[in-house]
Amino acid sequence: SQQGEEDPQALSIQEGENATMNCSYKTSINNLQWYRQNSGRGLVHLILIRSNEREKHSGRLRVTLDTSKKSSSLLITASRAADTASYFCATVSGGTSYGKLTFGQGTILTVHP
Amino acid sequence: EAGVTQSPTHLIKTRGQQVTLRCSPISGHTSVYWYQQALGLGLQFLLWYDEGEERNRGNFPPRFSGRQFPNYSSELNVNALELEDSALYLCASSLGLAVGRDEQFFGPGTRLTVL
């Protein structure tokens, strides 16, 4: 079953613009991770944010986490055509769910040159 | 440093056959995870191995099984293949329970087609 829902399902922007993707989840989490997938290939790990963190940055990426709303956002600034990919959020919870990533459905990002 | 490797890249099987997929984790990683990405179903967790032990299992039938070897590489076995097993099978590795590091790093996947 999918933990989260991602919004929007698809996003089309011009190179240089910012892209924001949102992720909502249902249960309490230990951490939330964002991944990128190019054309049905392997997933590339982008960033991990723990449940006690509110914001993290990595290069052109900014991730926020609001545990009270059970939501996260991924901002890609100054997008490039090479950022075109599917982006997934994935959560890690405790208890019987420990260790496994539960993925959202993903956002398909298209960046036009 | 080499990433997670998987073999084979592509595989075509017929219904009822058995298949074995292989995964080598990043050096130093002791945890290996398997996920299935089927069309329309998204990414689903299959299995997690750490230090040779199965630590967690997703909602898949028993014909999906696996193991982890002393060198931390892993195999995923699928018996009695069904058409709906057609999917991209992704392996990931992490530093494991002992270290408490949760970032999972994925391999390129094995594309399985069942005819």
Side-chain angles (χ1 to χ4, degrees):
Chain A
S1 62
Q2 298 297 313
Q3 160 79 301
E5 296 179 1
E6 295 187 57
D7 165 51
Q9 290 187 334
L11 181 60
S12 182
I13 60 174
Q14 295 295 126
E15 220 169 20
E17 294 180 338
N18 295 342
T20 300
M21 289 160 268
N22 302 297
C23 166
S24 61
Y25 56 90
K26 299 172 185 174
T27 63
S28 62
I29 61 171
N30 289 342
N31 66 70
L32 185 146
Q33 304 180 41
W34 284 90
Y35 288 86
R36 184 185 76 225
Q37 185 177 38
N38 292 81
S39 299
R41 299 171 65 184
L43 298 168
V44 174
H45 186 271
L46 296 176
I47 200 165
L48 179 152
I49 187 165
R50 300 197 182 279
S51 59
N52 60 353
E53 297 175 310
R54 291 297 167 258
E55 187 171 312
K56 282 190 84 168
H57 296 256
S58 177
R60 294 184 296 113
L61 306 180
R62 173 177 169 255
V63 168
T64 61
L65 179 64
D66 187 335
T67 53
S68 67
K69 294 180 179 178
K70 292 187 170 56
S71 67
S72 174
S73 68
L74 170 68
L75 168 67
I76 304 174
T77 59
S79 63
R80 306 166 181 166
D83 294 329
T84 294
S86 293
Y87 290 81
F88 295 90
C89 69
T91 56
V92 175
S93 301
T96 57
S97 297
Y98 186 63
K100 72 176 188 179
L101 289 169
T102 303
F103 285 86
Q105 294 290 351
T107 294
I108 300 171
L109 173 66
T110 304
V111 181
H112 300 281
Chain B
E1 179 183 288
V4 177
T5 59
Q6 292 185 244
S7 63
T9 306
H10 295 88
L11 209 47
I12 299 175
K13 293 284 188 178
T14 56
R15 285 177 58 191
Q17 286 189 310
Q18 178 265 342
V19 68
T20 298
L21 311 181
R22 295 178 174 82
C23 172
S24 292
I26 292 170
S27 177
H29 286 191
T30 63
S31 275
V32 171
Y33 311 79
W34 288 94
Y35 293 86
Q36 182 197 66
Q37 188 176 29
L39 202 61
L41 293 177
L43 283 147
Q44 305 280 344
F45 168 76
L46 266 166
L47 289 161
W48 169 30
Y49 292 96
D50 183 72
E51 295 283 1
E53 300 285 332
E54 183 181 299
R55 300 295 182 178
N56 205 343
R57 182 183 178 86
N59 293 325
F60 282 84
R63 58 190 186 83
F64 286 83
S65 65
R67 55 179 173 168
Q68 186 179 33
F69 298 98
N71 67 353
Y72 303 113
S73 67
S74 176
E75 284 182 351
L76 174 69
N77 297 291
V78 188
N79 295 320
L81 284 166
E82 300 180 1
L83 296 178
E84 52 264 34
D85 296 334
S86 294
L88 180 67
Y89 288 85
L90 293 163
C91 172
S93 73
S94 75
L95 284 168
L97 276 177
V99 181
R101 291 286 299 275
D102 292 335
E103 292 97 334
Q104 295 184 23
F105 297 92
F106 283 77
T110 293
R111 175 76 61 185
L112 172 65
T113 302
V114 182
L115 301 176

